[in-house]
Amino acid sequence: MAKQRVLSGMQPSGLLHLGNLMGALDNWRKLQDKYECYYFIADWHALTTNYADTKNIRTYVREMVIDWLAAGLDPEKAVLFQQSLVPEHAVLHVLLSMSTPLPWLERVPTYKEKMDQIQDREMNTYGFLGYPVLQAADILIYKANFVPVGIDQLPHLELTREICRRFDQFYGNVFPEPQPLMTEYPKLPGTDGRKMSKSYNNTLNLSDTPEIITKKVMAMITDPARVRRQDPGNPDVCPLFSLDRIFAPKEWCDHVNVECRRAGIGCVDDKKELLKHLLAYLKPIQEKRKELVNQPQMITEIIHEGSRKARVIAQKTLAEVYEAMKL
Ligand code: SF4
């Protein structure tokens, strides 16, 4: 029986970090063994919020693919491709935009949130409002059966499903409705205690050397109420302890959970122990990275070959869409 198809993408808007690794890449790596996976570099999506400053985008595209491969994505198992090399996404985006009611886009929760959050750029653009339609095109053009999502991305997928149903209602049954592949992502705090995110500049990057990771972790925020070594701390509110729980052995976490509360252990000790496990976890990824950085031609070929394969499917679907719409 043919494998079911999964689609997911990532914006090349900065260097990938530990949150991306634990939140998406680890999951993608597992899925590639079970499904026919299409993973794409969403470079057009990166333009929706960063259209004016594109000077780093090519670097980010390449670095992202290096991170993907270093994290275990395999171009023999999954199709790794670049959105802008498959122009059929844009054609389907235009066609879907004809039948998508404007209020559907205006009510997307992240639309208003991001408009409020991003103050340093003009965000009131056609491209930004329409990005969920582009997202729908990305998914539907491969007739993806599943899209891996966390709970917060469910409304986006629901909108894709609505766009899909509306298209099919007018033109016949062209697209299968994509289903969510619910994924539990561990929430990773950044070095300042907020969610790890490029936009907060608080990330531990996959491309950081062990020395940089060490420096960042040693400077990381802990329980803010624990000012001096002799003050008891509270692991429940400590961002570093959240990383302990993911990377350090259970015995160490249990030990910290008791000793921190009676000032029996200092934050420096805890950070050093965390670093031991975190660096060991990252070591194979960083070693693979080093090899890949020296093979720029191979990276180009992987992107081009993946995009060529993706295009075959995208063109086939688009031909069906033209037929259904009588174009
Ligand atoms: S000892 Fe560990 S858990 Fe306690 S406050 Fe310091 S870093 Fe956080």
Side-chain angles (χ1 to χ4, degrees), residues 222-223 226 233-235 238 240-241 244 256 260 265-267 270:
T222 60
D223 171 4
R226 191 174 188 198
N234 180 2
C238 174
L240 192 109
F241 192 63
D244 276 345
V256 171
C260 169
I265 179 177
C267 295
D270 194 4

PDB file of all heavy atoms in Angstrom, residues 222-223 226 233-235 238 240-241 244 256 260 265-267 270, ligand 1:
ATOM      1  N   THR A 222      17.963  32.044  35.847  1.00  0.00           N
ATOM      2  CA  THR A 222      17.423  30.921  36.636  1.00  0.00           C
ATOM      3  C   THR A 222      16.232  31.463  37.432  1.00  0.00           C
ATOM      4  O   THR A 222      15.583  32.391  36.955  1.00  0.00           O
ATOM      5  CB  THR A 222      18.516  30.342  37.559  1.00  0.00           C
ATOM      6  OG1 THR A 222      18.969  31.370  38.434  1.00  0.00           O
ATOM      7  CG2 THR A 222      19.692  29.797  36.743  1.00  0.00           C
ATOM      8  N   ASP A 223      15.960  30.866  38.589  1.00  0.00           N
ATOM      9  CA  ASP A 223      14.864  31.397  39.408  1.00  0.00           C
ATOM     10  C   ASP A 223      15.190  32.861  39.759  1.00  0.00           C
ATOM     11  O   ASP A 223      16.169  33.127  40.465  1.00  0.00           O
ATOM     12  CB  ASP A 223      14.753  30.530  40.680  1.00  0.00           C
ATOM     13  CG  ASP A 223      13.790  31.117  41.697  1.00  0.00           C
ATOM     14  OD1 ASP A 223      13.153  32.142  41.386  1.00  0.00           O
ATOM     15  OD2 ASP A 223      13.678  30.536  42.799  1.00  0.00           O
ATOM     16  N   ARG A 226      16.082  33.870  43.293  1.00  0.00           N
ATOM     17  CA  ARG A 226      17.278  33.330  43.955  1.00  0.00           C
ATOM     18  C   ARG A 226      18.472  34.230  43.614  1.00  0.00           C
ATOM     19  O   ARG A 226      19.122  34.057  42.584  1.00  0.00           O
ATOM     20  CB  ARG A 226      17.518  31.889  43.468  1.00  0.00           C
ATOM     21  CG  ARG A 226      18.556  31.209  44.298  1.00  0.00           C
ATOM     22  CD  ARG A 226      18.727  29.749  43.966  1.00  0.00           C
ATOM     23  NE  ARG A 226      19.603  29.178  44.968  1.00  0.00           N
ATOM     24  CZ  ARG A 226      20.248  28.050  44.865  1.00  0.00           C
ATOM     25  NH1 ARG A 226      20.093  27.300  43.790  1.00  0.00           N
ATOM     26  NH2 ARG A 226      21.037  27.632  45.827  1.00  0.00           N
ATOM     27  N   GLY A 233      16.049  28.114  46.222  1.00  0.00           N
ATOM     28  CA  GLY A 233      15.444  28.395  44.918  1.00  0.00           C
ATOM     29  C   GLY A 233      14.191  27.563  44.702  1.00  0.00           C
ATOM     30  O   GLY A 233      13.834  26.719  45.524  1.00  0.00           O
ATOM     31  N   ASN A 234      13.554  27.811  43.578  1.00  0.00           N
ATOM     32  CA  ASN A 234      12.337  27.065  43.242  1.00  0.00           C
ATOM     33  C   ASN A 234      12.426  26.533  41.805  1.00  0.00           C
ATOM     34  O   ASN A 234      12.203  27.283  40.848  1.00  0.00           O
ATOM     35  CB  ASN A 234      11.122  27.981  43.402  1.00  0.00           C
ATOM     36  CG  ASN A 234       9.829  27.260  43.067  1.00  0.00           C
ATOM     37  OD1 ASN A 234       9.838  26.062  42.748  1.00  0.00           O
ATOM     38  ND2 ASN A 234       8.724  27.977  43.134  1.00  0.00           N
ATOM     39  N   PRO A 235      12.745  25.264  41.659  1.00  0.00           N
ATOM     40  CA  PRO A 235      12.872  24.692  40.302  1.00  0.00           C
ATOM     41  C   PRO A 235      11.596  24.836  39.474  1.00  0.00           C
ATOM     42  O   PRO A 235      11.666  24.893  38.248  1.00  0.00           O
ATOM     43  CB  PRO A 235      13.197  23.216  40.561  1.00  0.00           C
ATOM     44  CG  PRO A 235      13.719  23.164  41.942  1.00  0.00           C
ATOM     45  CD  PRO A 235      13.035  24.269  42.690  1.00  0.00           C
ATOM     46  N   CYS A 238      11.989  27.881  37.485  1.00  0.00           N
ATOM     47  CA  CYS A 238      13.326  28.114  36.932  1.00  0.00           C
ATOM     48  C   CYS A 238      13.421  27.604  35.484  1.00  0.00           C
ATOM     49  O   CYS A 238      13.243  26.411  35.232  1.00  0.00           O
ATOM     50  CB  CYS A 238      14.357  27.403  37.796  1.00  0.00           C
ATOM     51  SG  CYS A 238      15.999  27.511  37.090  1.00  0.00           S
ATOM     52  N   LEU A 240      16.007  27.166  33.661  1.00  0.00           N
ATOM     53  CA  LEU A 240      17.100  26.214  33.451  1.00  0.00           C
ATOM     54  C   LEU A 240      16.660  24.793  33.827  1.00  0.00           C
ATOM     55  O   LEU A 240      17.038  23.812  33.200  1.00  0.00           O
ATOM     56  CB  LEU A 240      18.333  26.607  34.261  1.00  0.00           C
ATOM     57  CG  LEU A 240      19.569  25.823  33.851  1.00  0.00           C
ATOM     58  CD1 LEU A 240      20.547  26.711  33.112  1.00  0.00           C
ATOM     59  CD2 LEU A 240      20.241  25.148  35.012  1.00  0.00           C
ATOM     60  N   PHE A 241      15.824  24.721  34.870  1.00  0.00           N
ATOM     61  CA  PHE A 241      15.368  23.396  35.291  1.00  0.00           C
ATOM     62  C   PHE A 241      14.514  22.735  34.205  1.00  0.00           C
ATOM     63  O   PHE A 241      14.507  21.514  34.077  1.00  0.00           O
ATOM     64  CB  PHE A 241      14.594  23.501  36.613  1.00  0.00           C
ATOM     65  CG  PHE A 241      14.351  22.160  37.264  1.00  0.00           C
ATOM     66  CD1 PHE A 241      15.411  21.377  37.688  1.00  0.00           C
ATOM     67  CD2 PHE A 241      13.059  21.685  37.438  1.00  0.00           C
ATOM     68  CE1 PHE A 241      15.198  20.134  38.267  1.00  0.00           C
ATOM     69  CE2 PHE A 241      12.834  20.443  38.021  1.00  0.00           C
ATOM     70  CZ  PHE A 241      13.904  19.670  38.437  1.00  0.00           C
ATOM     71  N   ASP A 244      16.972  21.041  32.229  1.00  0.00           N
ATOM     72  CA  ASP A 244      17.421  19.846  32.974  1.00  0.00           C
ATOM     73  C   ASP A 244      16.483  18.675  32.698  1.00  0.00           C
ATOM     74  O   ASP A 244      16.908  17.561  32.431  1.00  0.00           O
ATOM     75  CB  ASP A 244      17.376  20.107  34.491  1.00  0.00           C
ATOM     76  CG  ASP A 244      18.621  20.812  35.011  1.00  0.00           C
ATOM     77  OD1 ASP A 244      19.624  20.848  34.283  1.00  0.00           O
ATOM     78  OD2 ASP A 244      18.571  21.324  36.151  1.00  0.00           O
ATOM     79  N   VAL A 256      18.311  17.887  42.161  1.00  0.00           N
ATOM     80  CA  VAL A 256      18.179  19.352  42.099  1.00  0.00           C
ATOM     81  C   VAL A 256      16.845  19.778  42.717  1.00  0.00           C
ATOM     82  O   VAL A 256      16.775  20.761  43.464  1.00  0.00           O
ATOM     83  CB  VAL A 256      18.264  19.845  40.630  1.00  0.00           C
ATOM     84  CG1 VAL A 256      17.914  21.330  40.534  1.00  0.00           C
ATOM     85  CG2 VAL A 256      19.646  19.597  40.062  1.00  0.00           C
ATOM     86  N   CYS A 260      17.937  22.273  45.565  1.00  0.00           N
ATOM     87  CA  CYS A 260      17.766  23.689  45.213  1.00  0.00           C
ATOM     88  C   CYS A 260      16.865  24.367  46.240  1.00  0.00           C
ATOM     89  O   CYS A 260      17.130  25.483  46.676  1.00  0.00           O
ATOM     90  CB  CYS A 260      17.179  23.789  43.808  1.00  0.00           C
ATOM     91  SG  CYS A 260      16.626  25.436  43.368  1.00  0.00           S
ATOM     92  N   ILE A 265      22.396  23.240  46.640  1.00  0.00           N
ATOM     93  CA  ILE A 265      23.129  23.218  45.374  1.00  0.00           C
ATOM     94  C   ILE A 265      23.048  24.627  44.769  1.00  0.00           C
ATOM     95  O   ILE A 265      22.032  25.323  44.932  1.00  0.00           O
ATOM     96  CB  ILE A 265      22.522  22.162  44.417  1.00  0.00           C
ATOM     97  CG1 ILE A 265      23.274  22.155  43.095  1.00  0.00           C
ATOM     98  CG2 ILE A 265      21.059  22.362  44.169  1.00  0.00           C
ATOM     99  CD1 ILE A 265      22.794  21.115  42.127  1.00  0.00           C
ATOM    100  N   GLY A 266      24.111  25.034  44.105  1.00  0.00           N
ATOM    101  CA  GLY A 266      24.113  26.359  43.485  1.00  0.00           C
ATOM    102  C   GLY A 266      23.751  26.262  42.005  1.00  0.00           C
ATOM    103  O   GLY A 266      23.849  25.182  41.395  1.00  0.00           O
ATOM    104  N   CYS A 267      23.352  27.394  41.440  1.00  0.00           N
ATOM    105  CA  CYS A 267      22.955  27.396  40.033  1.00  0.00           C
ATOM    106  C   CYS A 267      24.141  27.062  39.118  1.00  0.00           C
ATOM    107  O   CYS A 267      23.964  26.430  38.071  1.00  0.00           O
ATOM    108  CB  CYS A 267      22.375  28.754  39.650  1.00  0.00           C
ATOM    109  SG  CYS A 267      20.848  29.099  40.529  1.00  0.00           S
ATOM    110  N   ASP A 270      24.445  23.391  38.816  1.00  0.00           N
ATOM    111  CA  ASP A 270      23.377  22.843  37.990  1.00  0.00           C
ATOM    112  C   ASP A 270      23.667  23.118  36.504  1.00  0.00           C
ATOM    113  O   ASP A 270      23.498  22.249  35.638  1.00  0.00           O
ATOM    114  CB  ASP A 270      22.036  23.470  38.410  1.00  0.00           C
ATOM    115  CG  ASP A 270      20.846  22.716  37.844  1.00  0.00           C
ATOM    116  OD1 ASP A 270      21.050  21.661  37.197  1.00  0.00           O
ATOM    117  OD2 ASP A 270      19.706  23.177  38.034  1.00  0.00           O
TER     118      ASP A 270
HETATM  119  S1  SF4 B   1      19.817  25.341  41.277  1.00  0.00           S
HETATM  120 FE1  SF4 B   1      19.052  24.834  39.270  1.00  0.00          FE
HETATM  121  S2  SF4 B   1      16.843  24.687  39.521  1.00  0.00           S
HETATM  122 FE2  SF4 B   1      17.628  25.803  41.276  1.00  0.00          FE
HETATM  123  S3  SF4 B   1      17.425  27.944  40.723  1.00  0.00           S
HETATM  124 FE3  SF4 B   1      19.523  27.284  40.238  1.00  0.00          FE
HETATM  125  S4  SF4 B   1      19.444  26.677  38.118  1.00  0.00           S
HETATM  126 FE4  SF4 B   1      17.336  26.772  38.852  1.00  0.00          FE
END
